Amino acid sequence: MTYQELWRSLVPTYDPREAQAIARWVLEVGMGMTTTDIYLGKVSELSADDHRKLEEIRQRLLNLEPVQYILGTAEFCGRAFQVQPGVLIPRPETQQLIPMLAPCTTTPFTLLDIGTGSGCIAITAALEYGQAQVSACDLSAIALEVARKNATSLGAHVDFCLQDALHMPHDMAQWDVIVSNPPYICEQERQEMSDNVRLYEPAMALFVPDDDPLRFYRAIALYALHALRPQGRLLFEINPHYAATLQQLLTTMGYSNVVLHDDAFGRCRFATAHL
């Protein structure tokens, strides 16, 4: 099998550009090839065992299994994070939260990531902001195990704990920044999602009831009212369909400077607020 044959075999399951990117990633990460190797046609020189491995990967891709789960890795802010079934795959748009975390000064600050998943936000913050004391929590023991492995492999110090975002403790003035990318997709939106997300990624990290789309935002914002220090900041990744409703909720709860932000694709994707 050549590179061209590999990516073309993934069409129309994936569009041509996505198929090419996936094929390159499989060959580079899964087969240890360089971009030069790929374009020089060295894929055809792989051993028989490697060709069998490549065919197994191809079949899994045709079954819509996410390539990140197949290879066990996903990129976030230029770093490789381990992922596996049961752990949400980091999204490119979530990377835009990282610069929003930056304080106005170099003063040490405390940060809590609620619903950390693979740990991509918390670990990146710990590595990018040396003055930050970072903690993170999640309800999934599987996710926490993966997050701890990521922190160790990337050399980041993050304190992890098992915690339900809907039942946070009564912490007082503990954090300067609280950030969360909680479940925010309504059940009625499930059928609109791509099959590789809907069929393989953890539902508990994605979906909320149709009659309570803001349940995680409300719970986290209530916790943050007493857990944030004076002038503390709250940051969310959000569902664009409920951006205005969330902005109104945070304002009604007493937060100031509640601002909505677009992602790189022009969709309203983030909300920031001050205590």
Side-chain angles (χ1 to χ4, degrees):
M1 186 187 304
T2 66
Y3 162 65
Q4 288 77 13
E5 289 170 340
L6 175 60
W7 76 257
R8 285 173 180 159
S9 73
L10 300 178
V11 179
T13 304
Y14 304 88
D15 68 59
R17 290 184 64 182
E18 185 179 14
Q20 291 175 43
I22 289 173
R24 285 195 302 271
W25 197 12
V26 165
L27 293 170
E28 290 172 1
V29 176
M31 298 294 149
M33 304 190 75
T34 67
T35 303
T36 302
D37 290 336
I38 295 169
Y39 287 107
L40 286 177
K42 293 188 177 182
V43 179
S44 58
E45 299 175 12
L46 290 171
S47 69
D49 285 344
D50 281 341
H51 273 293
R52 281 192 291 271
K53 179 181 176 182
L54 190 58
E55 176 59 22
E56 290 173 2
I57 291 174
R58 190 181 75 89
Q59 290 299 326
R60 292 172 70 179
L61 289 168
L62 291 174
N63 287 330
L64 298 175
E65 187 174 350
V67 64
Q68 294 91 341
Y69 287 161
I70 296 172
L71 299 178
T73 185
E75 184 177 310
F76 188 83
C77 290
R79 298 179 177 91
F81 283 78
Q82 297 178 46
V83 291
Q84 66 182 52
V87 180
L88 190 71
I89 297 169
R91 294 327 197 247
E93 54 267 31
T94 304
Q95 297 175 132
Q96 291 180 238
L97 271 173
I98 302 303
M100 296 183 190
L101 300 174
C104 297
T105 69
T106 57
T107 304
F109 67 100
T110 56
L111 182 148
L112 174 65
D113 175 25
I114 299 177
T116 194
S118 66
C120 59
I121 295 174
I123 292 167
T124 303
L127 294 172
E128 297 286 335
Y129 304 113
Q131 74 274 38
Q133 179 183 328
V134 182
S135 298
C137 63
D138 203 287
L139 181 59
S140 167
I142 295 174
L144 284 176
E145 181 181 359
V146 170
R148 289 188 177 104
K149 289 179 180 177
N150 282 324
T152 298
S153 64
L154 292 170
H157 179 73
V158 178
D159 293 320
F160 294 101
C161 71
L162 187 70
Q163 180 64 57
D164 185 351
L166 296 177
H167 301 93
M168 296 294 289
H170 196 75
D171 296 325
M172 295 298 295
Q174 187 167 344
W175 313 105
D176 295 300
V177 180
I178 294 175
V179 60
S180 183
N181 177 18
Y184 59 65
I185 301 170
C186 287
E187 286 289 344
Q188 64 190 4
E189 300 175 73
R190 185 188 288 259
Q191 296 305 316
E192 302 172 12
M193 302 179 69
S194 59
D195 288 340
N196 60 343
V197 175
R198 182 171 54 85
L199 298 176
Y200 287 96
E201 296 200 59
M204 68 179 292
L206 292 169
F207 299 108
V208 289
D210 293 336
D211 62 355
D212 193 10
L214 300 182
R215 67 158 40 176
F216 283 93
Y217 299 102
R218 186 183 307 107
I220 293 169
L222 282 170
Y223 165 73
L225 282 175
H226 52 80
L228 280 173
R229 293 172 176 168
Q231 308 304 313
R233 295 183 297 130
L234 181 62
L235 299 91
F236 287 125
E237 183 168 326
I238 66 174
N239 186 332
H241 296 307
Y242 301 100
T245 307
L246 175 61
Q247 186 178 39
Q248 182 179 11
L249 172 67
L250 294 176
T251 301
T252 301
M253 293 176 70
Y255 288 93
S256 63
N257 195 26
V258 182
V259 180
L260 303 176
H261 308 264
D262 288 348
D263 63 19
F265 305 101
R267 301 197 73 194
C268 188
R269 183 66 64 184
F270 310 103
T272 57
H274 287 75
L275 188 60

